[in-house]
Coordinates of all heavy atoms in Angstrom, one line a residue:
M1 N 7.5 8.9 -9.4 CA 7.9 9.3 -8.0 C 7.7 8.0 -7.2 O 6.6 7.4 -7.2 CB 7.1 10.4 -7.5 CG 7.1 11.7 -8.3 SD 5.9 12.9 -7.9 CE 6.4 13.4 -6.3
L2 N 8.8 7.7 -6.4 CA 8.7 6.6 -5.5 C 8.3 6.9 -4.1 O 8.9 8.0 -3.5 CB 9.9 5.8 -5.5 CG 10.3 5.2 -6.9 CD1 11.7 4.5 -6.7 CD2 9.3 4.1 -7.3
F3 N 7.5 6.2 -3.5 CA 7.1 6.5 -2.1 C 7.2 5.1 -1.3 O 6.7 4.0 -1.8 CB 5.7 6.9 -2.0 CG 5.6 8.3 -2.5 CD1 5.3 8.6 -3.8 CD2 5.8 9.5 -1.6 CE1 5.2 9.9 -4.3 CE2 5.7 10.7 -2.0 CZ 5.4 11.0 -3.4
K4 N 7.6 5.1 0.0 CA 7.4 4.1 0.8 C 6.2 4.3 1.6 O 6.0 5.4 2.1 CB 8.6 3.9 1.9 CG 8.3 2.8 2.9 CD 9.5 2.7 3.8 CE 9.6 3.8 4.9 NZ 10.6 3.5 6.0
V5 N 5.3 3.3 1.6 CA 4.0 3.5 2.4 C 3.8 2.4 3.4 O 4.0 1.2 3.1 CB 2.8 3.5 1.4 CG1 1.5 3.7 2.2 CG2 3.0 4.5 0.3
E6 N 3.7 2.8 4.6 CA 3.6 1.7 5.7 C 2.0 1.8 6.1 O 1.5 2.9 6.4 CB 4.4 2.2 6.9 CG 5.8 2.1 6.6 CD 6.7 2.7 7.7 OE1 6.8 2.2 8.7 OE2 7.3 3.8 7.3
M7 N 1.4 0.6 6.0 CA 0.0 0.6 6.3 C -0.2 -0.4 7.6 O 0.2 -1.6 7.5 CB -0.7 -0.1 5.2 CG -0.6 0.7 3.9 SD -1.5 -0.1 2.5 CE -0.7 0.7 1.1
D8 N -0.9 0.0 8.5 CA -1.3 -0.7 9.7 C -2.8 -0.8 9.6 O -3.5 0.2 9.7 CB -0.9 0.0 11.1 CG 0.6 0.2 11.2 OD1 1.4 -0.7 10.6 OD2 1.0 1.2 11.7
V9 N -3.2 -2.1 9.6 CA -4.7 -2.3 9.5 C -5.2 -2.5 10.9 O -4.7 -3.4 11.7 CB -5.0 -3.5 8.7 CG1 -6.5 -3.7 8.4 CG2 -4.4 -3.3 7.3
R10 N -6.2 -1.8 11.3 CA -6.8 -1.9 12.7 C -8.2 -2.0 12.5 O -9.0 -1.0 12.2 CB -6.5 -0.6 13.4 CG -5.0 -0.3 13.6 CD -4.3 -1.0 14.7 NE -2.9 -0.8 14.7 CZ -2.0 -1.7 14.3 NH1 -2.3 -2.6 13.6 NH2 -0.7 -1.3 14.3
V11 N -8.8 -3.0 12.8 CA -10.1 -3.4 12.6 C -10.8 -3.6 14.0 O -10.4 -4.3 14.9 CB -10.4 -4.9 11.9 CG1 -11.8 -5.1 11.6 CG2 -9.5 -4.9 10.6
P12 N -11.9 -2.9 14.2 CA -12.6 -3.0 15.4 C -13.0 -4.4 15.7 O -13.4 -5.1 14.9 CB -13.9 -2.2 15.4 CG -13.6 -1.3 14.2 CD -12.6 -2.0 13.3
L13 N -12.9 -4.9 17.0 CA -13.0 -6.4 17.4 C -14.6 -6.6 17.0 O -14.8 -7.9 16.8 CB -12.7 -6.6 18.8 CG -11.3 -6.5 19.2 CD1 -11.2 -6.6 20.7 CD2 -10.5 -7.5 18.5
D14 N -15.5 -5.8 17.1 CA -16.9 -6.1 16.9 C -17.3 -5.9 15.5 O -18.5 -6.0 15.2 CB -17.8 -5.3 17.8 CG -17.6 -3.8 17.7 OD1 -16.7 -3.4 16.9 OD2 -18.4 -3.1 18.3
Y15 N -16.3 -5.7 14.6 CA -16.7 -5.5 13.2 C -17.2 -6.8 12.5 O -16.7 -7.9 12.8 CB -15.6 -4.9 12.3 CG -16.0 -4.3 11.1 CD1 -16.6 -3.1 10.9 CD2 -15.8 -5.1 9.8 CE1 -17.1 -2.6 9.7 CE2 -16.2 -4.7 8.6 CZ -16.8 -3.4 8.5 OH -17.2 -2.9 7.3
D16 N -18.3 -6.7 11.7 CA -18.9 -7.8 11.1 C -17.9 -8.7 10.3 O -17.4 -8.2 9.3 CB -20.1 -7.5 10.3 CG -20.8 -8.7 9.6 OD1 -21.2 -9.6 10.4 OD2 -20.8 -8.8 8.4
P17 N -17.6 -10.0 10.7 CA -16.6 -10.7 9.9 C -16.8 -10.8 8.4 O -15.9 -10.8 7.6 CB -16.6 -12.2 10.6 CG -17.3 -11.9 12.1 CD -18.2 -10.8 11.8
A18 N -18.1 -11.1 8.0 CA -18.4 -11.3 6.6 C -18.1 -10.0 5.8 O -17.5 -10.0 4.7 CB -19.8 -11.7 6.4
R19 N -18.5 -8.9 6.5 CA -18.2 -7.6 5.8 C -16.7 -7.4 5.6 O -16.2 -6.9 4.6 CB -18.9 -6.5 6.6 CG -20.3 -6.5 6.4 CD -21.0 -5.2 7.2 NE -20.8 -4.1 6.5 CZ -21.4 -2.8 7.0 NH1 -22.1 -2.8 8.1 NH2 -21.1 -1.8 6.3
F20 N -16.0 -7.7 6.7 CA -14.5 -7.6 6.7 C -13.9 -8.5 5.5 O -13.0 -8.1 4.8 CB -13.9 -7.9 8.0 CG -12.5 -7.5 8.0 CD1 -12.0 -6.1 7.7 CD2 -11.5 -8.4 8.2 CE1 -10.7 -5.8 7.7 CE2 -10.1 -8.1 8.2 CZ -9.7 -6.8 8.0
E21 N -14.4 -9.7 5.5 CA -13.9 -10.6 4.4 C -14.1 -10.0 3.0 O -13.3 -10.1 2.2 CB -14.5 -12.0 4.5 CG -14.0 -12.8 5.6 CD -12.5 -13.0 5.7 OE1 -11.8 -13.3 4.7 OE2 -11.9 -12.8 6.8
A22 N -15.3 -9.5 2.8 CA -15.6 -8.7 1.5 C -14.6 -7.6 1.2 O -14.1 -7.5 0.1 CB -17.1 -8.3 1.5
L23 N -14.3 -6.9 2.3 CA -13.4 -5.7 2.1 C -12.0 -6.2 1.9 O -11.3 -5.7 0.9 CB -13.4 -4.9 3.4 CG -14.5 -3.8 3.6 CD1 -14.4 -3.2 5.0 CD2 -14.6 -2.8 2.5
K24 N -11.6 -7.3 2.4 CA -10.2 -7.9 2.2 C -10.2 -8.4 0.7 O -9.2 -8.2 0.1 CB -10.0 -9.1 3.2 CG -9.4 -8.5 4.4 CD -8.6 -9.6 5.3 CE -9.4 -10.8 5.5 NZ -8.9 -11.8 6.4
A25 N -11.3 -9.1 0.3 CA -11.2 -9.5 -1.1 C -11.1 -8.3 -2.1 O -10.4 -8.4 -3.1 CB -12.5 -10.3 -1.4
A26 N -11.9 -7.3 -1.8 CA -11.8 -6.1 -2.7 C -10.5 -5.5 -2.6 O -10.0 -5.0 -3.6 CB -13.0 -5.1 -2.3
E27 N -9.9 -5.4 -1.5 CA -8.6 -4.8 -1.3 C -7.5 -5.6 -2.1 O -6.7 -5.1 -2.8 CB -8.1 -4.8 0.2 CG -6.8 -4.3 0.5 CD -6.7 -2.7 0.6 OE1 -7.8 -2.1 0.7 OE2 -5.6 -2.2 0.4
K28 N -7.6 -7.0 -2.1 CA -6.7 -7.8 -2.8 C -6.9 -7.6 -4.4 O -5.8 -7.5 -5.0 CB -6.9 -9.2 -2.5 CG -6.1 -10.2 -3.1 CD -6.3 -11.7 -2.7 CE -5.4 -12.7 -3.4 NZ -5.5 -14.0 -3.0
A29 N -8.0 -7.5 -4.8 CA -8.3 -7.3 -6.2 C -7.8 -5.9 -6.6 O -7.0 -5.9 -7.7 CB -9.8 -7.3 -6.5
R30 N -7.9 -4.8 -5.8 CA -7.4 -3.5 -6.2 C -5.9 -3.6 -6.1 O -5.2 -3.0 -7.0 CB -7.9 -2.5 -5.2 CG -7.4 -1.0 -5.4 CD -8.0 -0.6 -6.7 NE -7.6 0.9 -6.9 CZ -7.1 1.4 -8.1 NH1 -7.1 0.6 -9.1 NH2 -6.9 2.7 -8.2
F31 N -5.4 -4.2 -5.2 CA -3.9 -4.3 -5.0 C -3.2 -5.0 -6.2 O -2.3 -4.6 -6.8 CB -3.5 -5.1 -3.8 CG -2.1 -5.7 -3.8 CD1 -1.0 -4.8 -3.9 CD2 -1.8 -7.1 -3.8 CE1 0.3 -5.3 -3.9 CE2 -0.6 -7.5 -3.8 CZ 0.5 -6.7 -3.9
Q32 N -3.9 -6.1 -6.7 CA -3.3 -6.9 -7.8 C -3.5 -6.0 -9.1 O -2.6 -6.2 -10.0 CB -4.0 -8.2 -8.0 CG -3.6 -9.1 -6.8 CD -4.1 -10.5 -6.8 OE1 -5.0 -10.8 -7.5 NE2 -3.5 -11.4 -6.0
E33 N -4.6 -5.3 -9.2 CA -4.7 -4.4 -10.4 C -3.6 -3.4 -10.4 O -3.0 -3.2 -11.5 CB -6.1 -3.7 -10.2 CG -6.4 -2.8 -11.4 CD -7.8 -2.1 -11.1 OE1 -8.1 -1.8 -9.9 OE2 -8.6 -1.8 -12.0
L34 N -3.3 -2.8 -9.3 CA -2.3 -1.7 -9.3 C -0.8 -2.3 -9.4 O 0.0 -1.7 -10.0 CB -2.4 -1.0 -7.9 CG -3.7 0.0 -7.8 CD1 -3.8 0.4 -6.4 CD2 -3.5 1.2 -8.8
Q35 N -0.7 -3.6 -8.9 CA 0.6 -4.3 -9.1 C 0.9 -4.5 -10.5 O 2.0 -4.3 -11.0 CB 0.6 -5.6 -8.2 CG 1.9 -6.2 -8.1 CD 1.9 -7.4 -7.2 OE1 0.9 -8.2 -7.2 NE2 3.0 -7.7 -6.5
R36 N -0.2 -5.1 -11.2 CA 0.0 -5.3 -12.7 C 0.3 -4.0 -13.4 O 1.1 -4.1 -14.5 CB -1.3 -6.0 -13.3 CG -1.4 -7.4 -13.1 CD -2.5 -8.0 -13.7 NE -3.1 -9.1 -12.9 CZ -4.2 -8.9 -12.1 NH1 -4.9 -7.8 -12.1 NH2 -4.6 -10.0 -11.3
A37 N -0.3 -2.9 -13.0 CA 0.0 -1.6 -13.7 C 1.3 -1.0 -13.3 O 1.8 -0.1 -13.9 CB -1.1 -0.6 -13.3
G38 N 2.0 -1.7 -12.4 CA 3.4 -1.2 -12.0 C 3.3 0.0 -11.0 O 4.4 0.5 -10.7
T39 N 2.1 0.3 -10.5 CA 1.9 1.5 -9.6 C 2.3 1.0 -8.2 O 3.0 1.8 -7.4 CB 0.5 2.0 -9.6 OG1 0.1 2.2 -11.1 CG2 0.3 3.1 -8.8
W40 N 1.8 -0.3 -7.8 CA 2.2 -0.7 -6.5 C 3.3 -1.8 -6.7 O 3.0 -2.9 -7.0 CB 0.9 -1.4 -5.9 CG 0.9 -1.6 -4.4 CD1 2.0 -1.9 -3.6 CD2 -0.2 -1.6 -3.6 NE1 1.5 -2.1 -2.2 CE2 0.2 -1.9 -2.3 CE3 -1.6 -1.4 -3.7 CZ2 -0.6 -2.0 -1.1 CZ3 -2.5 -1.5 -2.7 CH2 -2.0 -1.8 -1.4
R41 N 4.5 -1.1 -6.7 CA 5.7 -2.0 -7.0 C 5.9 -3.2 -6.1 O 6.3 -4.3 -6.6 CB 6.9 -1.1 -7.1 CG 7.0 -0.4 -8.4 CD 8.5 -0.2 -8.6 NE 8.8 1.0 -9.5 CZ 10.0 1.3 -9.8 NH1 11.1 0.8 -9.1 NH2 10.2 2.4 -10.5
H42 N 6.0 -3.0 -4.8 CA 6.3 -4.0 -4.0 C 5.4 -3.9 -2.7 O 4.9 -2.9 -2.3 CB 7.8 -3.9 -3.5 CG 8.7 -3.8 -4.5 ND1 9.2 -5.0 -5.2 CD2 9.4 -2.8 -5.1 CE1 10.1 -4.6 -6.0 NE2 10.2 -3.4 -6.1
I43 N 5.3 -5.1 -2.1 CA 4.6 -5.2 -0.8 C 5.3 -6.3 0.1 O 5.7 -7.3 -0.5 CB 3.1 -5.5 -0.9 CG1 2.4 -5.3 0.4 CG2 2.8 -6.8 -1.5 CD1 0.9 -5.3 0.3
W44 N 5.4 -6.0 1.4 CA 5.9 -7.0 2.3 C 5.0 -6.9 3.6 O 4.5 -5.9 3.9 CB 7.4 -6.6 2.7 CG 8.4 -6.7 1.7 CD1 9.1 -7.8 1.4 CD2 8.9 -5.8 0.9 NE1 10.0 -7.5 0.2 CE2 9.8 -6.2 0.0 CE3 8.6 -4.3 0.7 CZ2 10.5 -5.4 -1.0 CZ3 9.2 -3.5 -0.1 CH2 10.2 -4.1 -1.1
R45 N 4.8 -8.1 4.1 CA 4.2 -8.2 5.4 C 5.2 -7.9 6.5 O 6.3 -8.3 6.3 CB 3.7 -9.7 5.6 CG 3.1 -10.0 6.8 CD 1.7 -9.2 7.2 NE 0.6 -9.5 6.4 CZ -0.3 -8.7 5.9 NH1 -0.2 -7.4 6.1 NH2 -1.4 -9.2 5.3
V46 N 4.8 -7.1 7.5 CA 5.6 -6.9 8.6 C 5.3 -8.1 9.6 O 4.2 -8.3 10.1 CB 5.3 -5.6 9.3 CG1 6.1 -5.4 10.5 CG2 5.4 -4.4 8.4
V47 N 6.4 -8.9 9.9 CA 6.3 -10.0 10.7 C 5.6 -9.8 12.1 O 6.0 -8.9 12.8 CB 7.6 -10.7 10.9 CG1 7.6 -11.9 11.8 CG2 8.3 -11.1 9.5
G48 N 4.6 -10.5 12.3 CA 3.9 -10.5 13.6 C 2.9 -9.4 13.6 O 2.2 -9.2 14.8
Q49 N 2.6 -8.6 12.6 CA 1.6 -7.5 12.6 C 0.7 -7.6 11.4 O 1.0 -8.1 10.4 CB 2.4 -6.1 12.6 CG 3.4 -6.0 13.8 CD 4.1 -4.7 13.8 OE1 3.5 -3.7 13.3 NE2 5.4 -4.7 14.1
Y50 N -0.5 -7.0 11.6 CA -1.3 -6.8 10.5 C -1.0 -5.5 9.8 O -1.7 -4.6 9.9 CB -2.8 -6.8 11.0 CG -3.9 -7.0 9.8 CD1 -5.2 -7.2 10.1 CD2 -3.4 -7.0 8.5 CE1 -6.1 -7.5 9.0 CE2 -4.3 -7.2 7.4 CZ -5.6 -7.5 7.7 OH -6.5 -7.6 6.6
S51 N 0.3 -5.5 9.2 CA 0.8 -4.3 8.6 C 1.6 -4.7 7.3 O 2.1 -5.8 7.2 CB 1.8 -3.7 9.6 OG 1.1 -3.3 10.8
N52 N 1.8 -3.7 6.5 CA 2.7 -4.0 5.4 C 3.5 -2.8 5.1 O 3.2 -1.7 5.6 CB 1.9 -4.4 4.1 CG 1.1 -3.3 3.5 OD1 1.7 -2.3 2.9 ND2 -0.3 -3.3 3.7
V53 N 4.6 -3.0 4.4 CA 5.5 -2.0 3.9 C 5.5 -2.2 2.4 O 5.7 -3.2 1.9 CB 7.0 -2.1 4.4 CG1 7.8 -1.0 3.8 CG2 7.0 -2.0 5.8
S54 N 5.1 -1.0 1.6 CA 4.9 -1.0 0.2 C 5.7 0.1 -0.4 O 6.1 1.0 0.2 CB 3.4 -0.9 -0.1 OG 2.6 -2.1 0.3
I55 N 6.0 -0.2 -1.7 CA 6.6 0.8 -2.6 C 5.6 1.2 -3.7 O 5.2 0.3 -4.4 CB 8.0 0.3 -3.1 CG1 9.0 -0.1 -2.0 CG2 8.6 1.4 -4.0 CD1 9.4 1.1 -1.1
F56 N 5.3 2.5 -3.9 CA 4.4 2.9 -4.8 C 5.3 3.8 -5.9 O 6.2 4.5 -5.5 CB 3.3 3.8 -4.3 CG 2.2 3.0 -3.6 CD1 2.4 2.5 -2.4 CD2 1.1 2.8 -4.3 CE1 1.4 1.7 -1.8 CE2 0.0 2.0 -3.8 CZ 0.2 1.5 -2.4
D57 N 4.9 3.5 -7.2 CA 5.5 4.5 -8.2 C 4.4 5.2 -8.9 O 3.5 4.6 -9.5 CB 6.2 3.6 -9.3 CG 7.0 4.3 -10.2 OD1 6.9 5.6 -10.2 OD2 7.6 3.7 -11.1
V58 N 4.3 6.5 -8.6 CA 3.1 7.4 -9.0 C 3.6 8.6 -9.7 O 4.9 9.0 -9.6 CB 2.2 7.7 -7.9 CG1 1.5 6.5 -7.3 CG2 2.9 8.4 -6.8
E59 N 2.7 9.3 -10.3 CA 3.1 10.5 -11.0 C 3.1 11.8 -10.2 O 3.8 12.8 -10.4 CB 2.1 10.8 -12.2 CG 2.0 9.8 -13.3 CD 3.5 9.7 -14.0 OE1 4.0 10.7 -14.2 OE2 3.9 8.6 -14.2
S60 N 2.3 11.8 -9.1 CA 2.3 12.9 -8.2 C 1.8 12.5 -6.7 O 1.2 11.5 -6.6 CB 1.2 13.8 -8.8 OG -0.1 13.3 -8.8
N61 N 2.0 13.5 -5.9 CA 1.5 13.3 -4.5 C -0.1 13.2 -4.6 O -0.6 12.4 -3.8 CB 1.8 14.6 -3.6 CG 3.3 14.7 -3.4 OD1 4.2 14.0 -3.9 ND2 3.6 15.8 -2.8
A62 N -0.6 13.9 -5.4 CA -2.1 13.8 -5.5 C -2.6 12.5 -5.9 O -3.7 12.0 -5.4 CB -2.7 15.0 -6.4
Q63 N -1.9 11.8 -6.9 CA -2.3 10.5 -7.4 C -2.2 9.6 -6.2 O -3.1 8.8 -5.9 CB -1.4 10.2 -8.5 CG -1.9 8.7 -9.0 CD -0.8 8.1 -10.1 OE1 0.1 8.7 -10.4 NE2 -1.3 6.8 -10.5
L64 N -1.1 9.6 -5.5 CA -0.8 8.7 -4.3 C -2.0 8.8 -3.2 O -2.6 7.9 -2.8 CB 0.6 8.8 -3.7 CG 0.8 7.9 -2.6 CD1 0.8 6.5 -3.0 CD2 2.1 8.2 -1.8
H65 N -2.2 10.2 -3.0 CA -3.3 10.5 -2.0 C -4.7 9.8 -2.4 O -5.3 9.1 -1.7 CB -3.5 12.0 -1.9 CG -4.6 12.3 -0.9 ND1 -4.3 12.3 0.5 CD2 -5.9 12.7 -1.1 CE1 -5.5 12.6 1.1 NE2 -6.4 12.8 0.1
D66 N -5.0 10.0 -3.7 CA -6.4 9.5 -4.2 C -6.4 7.9 -4.2 O -7.4 7.4 -3.8 CB -6.6 10.0 -5.7 CG -6.9 11.4 -5.7 OD1 -7.0 12.1 -4.7 OD2 -6.8 12.1 -6.7
L67 N -5.1 7.4 -4.6 CA -5.0 6.0 -4.6 C -5.2 5.3 -3.2 O -6.0 4.4 -2.9 CB -3.6 5.6 -5.2 CG -3.4 4.4 -5.8 CD1 -2.3 4.6 -6.9 CD2 -2.8 3.4 -4.8
L68 N -4.5 5.9 -2.2 CA -4.5 5.4 -0.9 C -5.9 5.6 -0.3 O -6.5 4.6 0.4 CB -3.5 6.1 0.0 CG -2.0 5.7 -0.4 CD1 -1.0 6.6 0.5 CD2 -1.7 4.2 -0.3
T69 N -6.5 6.8 -0.4 CA -7.8 7.0 0.2 C -8.9 6.2 -0.3 O -10.0 6.1 0.2 CB -8.1 8.6 0.3 OG1 -8.1 9.0 -1.1 CG2 -7.1 9.3 1.2
G70 N -8.6 5.7 -1.7 CA -9.7 4.9 -2.3 C -9.6 3.4 -2.0 O -10.4 2.7 -2.5
L71 N -8.6 3.0 -1.3 CA -8.5 1.6 -1.0 C -9.6 1.1 -0.1 O -10.0 1.8 0.8 CB -7.1 1.3 -0.3 CG -5.9 1.5 -1.1 CD1 -4.6 1.3 -0.2 CD2 -5.8 0.5 -2.3
P72 N -10.1 -0.1 -0.5 CA -11.3 -0.6 0.4 C -11.0 -0.6 1.9 O -11.8 -0.4 2.6 CB -11.4 -2.0 -0.2 CG -11.0 -1.9 -1.6 CD -9.8 -1.0 -1.6
L73 N -9.8 -1.0 2.2 CA -9.4 -1.1 3.6 C -9.0 0.3 4.3 O -8.6 0.4 5.5 CB -8.4 -2.1 4.0 CG -8.8 -3.6 3.9 CD1 -7.6 -4.5 4.1 CD2 -9.9 -3.9 4.9
Y74 N -9.0 1.3 3.5 CA -8.5 2.6 4.0 C -9.2 3.0 5.3 O -8.4 3.5 6.2 CB -8.6 3.7 2.9 CG -8.0 5.0 3.4 CD1 -6.7 5.2 3.4 CD2 -8.9 6.1 3.9 CE1 -6.2 6.5 4.0 CE2 -8.4 7.2 4.4 CZ -7.0 7.5 4.4 OH -6.5 8.5 4.9
P75 N -10.5 2.9 5.4 CA -11.1 3.4 6.7 C -10.6 2.7 7.8 O -10.8 3.2 9.1 CB -12.6 3.0 6.5 CG -12.7 2.9 5.0 CD -11.4 2.4 4.5
F76 N -9.9 1.6 7.8 CA -9.3 0.8 8.9 C -7.8 0.9 8.9 O -7.2 0.1 9.7 CB -9.8 -0.7 8.8 CG -11.3 -0.9 8.7 CD1 -11.9 -1.1 7.5 CD2 -12.0 -0.8 9.9 CE1 -13.2 -1.2 7.5 CE2 -13.4 -0.9 9.9 CZ -13.9 -1.0 8.7
M77 N -7.2 1.8 8.2 CA -5.8 1.8 8.1 C -5.1 3.1 8.8 O -5.8 4.1 8.7 CB -5.3 1.9 6.6 CG -5.3 0.6 5.9 SD -4.7 1.0 4.3 CE -4.9 -0.7 3.5
E78 N -4.0 2.9 9.4 CA -3.2 4.0 9.7 C -2.1 3.9 8.7 O -1.5 2.9 8.5 CB -2.5 3.9 11.1 CG -3.6 4.0 12.2 CD -3.1 3.6 13.6 OE1 -1.9 3.7 13.8 OE2 -3.9 3.3 14.4
V79 N -1.8 5.1 8.0 CA -0.8 5.2 6.9 C 0.2 6.2 7.1 O 0.0 7.3 7.6 CB -1.7 5.5 5.6 CG1 -0.7 5.7 4.4 CG2 -2.8 4.5 5.3
K80 N 1.5 5.7 6.8 CA 2.6 6.6 6.9 C 3.3 6.7 5.5 O 3.6 5.5 5.0 CB 3.5 6.1 7.9 CG 4.8 7.1 8.2 CD 5.7 6.5 9.3 CE 7.0 7.3 9.3 NZ 8.1 6.5 9.9
V81 N 3.5 7.8 5.0 CA 4.1 8.0 3.7 C 5.4 8.6 3.8 O 5.6 9.6 4.4 CB 3.1 8.8 2.7 CG1 3.8 9.0 1.4 CG2 1.8 8.1 2.6
T82 N 6.4 8.0 3.1 CA 7.8 8.6 3.0 C 8.2 8.6 1.6 O 8.2 7.7 0.8 CB 8.9 7.6 3.7 OG1 8.3 7.4 5.1 CG2 10.2 8.3 3.9
A83 N 8.6 9.9 1.2 CA 9.0 10.2 -0.2 C 10.5 9.6 -0.4 O 11.3 9.7 0.5 CB 9.0 11.7 -0.6
L84 N 10.7 9.0 -1.6 CA 12.0 8.4 -1.8 C 12.6 8.9 -3.1 O 11.9 9.5 -4.0 CB 11.8 6.8 -2.0 CG 11.2 6.0 -0.9 CD1 11.1 4.6 -1.4 CD2 12.0 6.0 0.4
C85 N 13.9 8.8 -3.2 CA 14.6 9.2 -4.5 C 15.8 8.2 -4.7 O 16.1 7.5 -3.8 CB 15.0 10.6 -4.6 SG 16.3 11.1 -3.4
R86 N 16.3 8.2 -5.9 CA 17.3 7.2 -6.2 C 18.5 7.4 -5.3 O 19.0 8.5 -5.2 CB 17.6 7.4 -7.8 CG 18.5 6.3 -8.3 CD 18.6 6.5 -9.8 NE 19.4 5.4 -10.4 CZ 20.8 5.4 -10.3 NH1 21.5 6.4 -9.7 NH2 21.4 4.3 -10.8
H87 N 19.0 6.4 -5.0 CA 20.4 6.3 -4.2 C 21.4 6.4 -5.2 O 21.4 5.8 -6.3 CB 20.5 5.2 -3.3 CG 21.7 5.2 -2.4 ND1 23.0 5.1 -2.8 CD2 21.8 5.6 -1.1 CE1 23.8 5.3 -1.9 NE2 23.1 5.6 -0.7
P88 N 22.5 7.2 -5.1 CA 23.5 7.5 -6.2 C 24.3 6.1 -6.5 O 24.8 6.0 -7.5 CB 24.4 8.5 -5.6 CG 24.0 8.7 -4.1 CD 22.6 8.3 -4.0
S89 N 24.3 5.2 -5.5 CA 25.0 4.0 -5.8 C 24.2 2.8 -6.3 O 24.6 1.7 -6.5 CB 25.6 3.5 -4.4 OG 26.4 4.4 -3.9
S90 N 22.8 3.2 -6.5 CA 22.0 2.0 -7.0 C 22.4 1.7 -8.4 O 22.7 2.5 -9.3 CB 20.6 2.6 -6.9 OG 19.7 1.6 -7.6
L91 N 22.2 0.3 -8.6 CA 22.4 -0.2 -10.0 C 21.1 -0.1 -10.8 O 21.2 -0.4 -12.0 CB 22.8 -1.7 -9.8 CG 24.2 -1.9 -9.3 CD1 24.5 -3.4 -9.2 CD2 25.3 -1.3 -10.2
H92 N 20.0 0.2 -10.1 CA 18.7 0.2 -10.9 C 18.3 1.6 -11.4 O 18.1 2.5 -10.6 CB 17.6 -0.3 -9.9 CG 18.0 -1.7 -9.4 ND1 17.9 -2.8 -10.0 CD2 18.4 -2.0 -8.2 CE1 18.2 -3.8 -9.3 NE2 18.6 -3.3 -8.2
D93 N 18.3 1.7 -12.7 CA 18.0 3.0 -13.3 C 16.5 3.5 -13.1 O 16.3 4.6 -13.2 CB 18.3 3.0 -14.9 CG 19.7 2.8 -15.1 OD1 20.6 3.3 -14.2 OD2 20.1 2.3 -16.2
D94 N 15.7 2.5 -12.8 CA 14.4 2.8 -12.6 C 14.0 3.3 -11.2 O 12.8 3.5 -10.7 CB 13.4 1.8 -13.2 CG 13.5 0.5 -12.3 OD1 14.6 0.2 -11.7 OD2 12.7 -0.5 -12.6
D95 N 15.0 3.3 -10.4 CA 14.8 3.8 -9.0 C 14.8 5.3 -9.0 O 15.8 6.0 -8.6 CB 16.0 3.4 -8.0 CG 15.9 1.9 -7.7 OD1 14.9 1.3 -7.9 OD2 16.8 1.5 -7.0
R96 N 13.7 5.9 -9.4 CA 13.7 7.4 -9.6 C 12.6 7.9 -8.7 O 11.7 7.2 -8.1 CB 13.5 7.8 -11.0 CG 12.3 7.1 -11.5 CD 12.0 7.4 -13.0 NE 11.1 6.4 -13.5 CZ 9.8 6.3 -13.2 NH1 9.2 7.0 -12.4 NH2 9.0 5.4 -13.7
Ligands
LIG1 O1 -3.0 -7.1 4.3 C1 -2.7 -5.9 4.3 O2 -1.7 -5.5 4.8 C2 -3.5 -5.0 3.6 C3 -3.4 -5.1 2.1 C4 -2.9 -4.4 1.3 C5 -3.0 -5.0 0.0 C6 -3.6 -6.1 0.2 O3 -4.0 -7.1 -0.6 O4 -3.9 -6.2 1.6

């Protein structure tokens, strides 16, 4: 199942910078693990914002929920999820 996930990262101005750097490093490691597994298929930075647009390929809504809420930066994120399905004109058979 494919989902578009929009993540806006909102960090309080007074949050400890060292703790935030540690969270960012943990987020990057988790992202790369999920990317290698094919679960986090794509990510793009939204120009001019601390935001990204991502494509996830998961088995269920529950899997996506657990994955998103387990991200190190999740406590600082606003998340919007949109379910996707294959477009009939797509050339990509794995767009399911
Ligand atoms: O930088 C972001 O948008 C948040 C994030 C998601 C994966 C990652 O490495 O950082």
Side-chain angles (χ1 to χ4, degrees):
M1 301 168 72
L2 294 176
F3 292 88
K4 177 178 77 170
V5 180
E6 297 167 67
M7 303 178 198
D8 300 325
V9 183
R10 301 282 177 260
V11 187
L13 290 175
D14 60 351
Y15 194 76
D16 178 59
R19 290 179 74 177
F20 188 60
E21 286 307 312
L23 281 175
K24 277 202 300 189
E27 180 80 19
K28 182 177 179 178
R30 180 66 174 139
F31 161 64
Q32 292 184 337
E33 179 184 36
L34 291 167
Q35 192 178 34
R36 276 186 219 101
T39 307
W40 197 327
R41 274 210 202 174
H42 301 283
I43 187 169
W44 293 272
R45 175 65 73 217
V46 179
V47 175
Q49 297 177 40
Y50 195 172
S51 303
N52 72 71
V53 175
S54 292
I55 302 295
F56 283 79
D57 187 357
V58 293
E59 294 301 319
S60 65
N61 292 2
Q63 183 192 0
L64 182 64
H65 178 82
D66 291 346
L67 202 152
L68 293 174
T69 56
L71 291 175
L73 284 178
Y74 181 77
F76 302 100
M77 285 179 179
E78 291 170 23
V79 178
K80 181 180 167 199
V81 175
T82 305
L84 304 173
C85 66
R86 187 174 185 280
H87 190 283
S89 303
S90 175
L91 293 175
H92 303 285
D93 290 336
D94 61 345
D95 286 352
R96 56 186 159 67

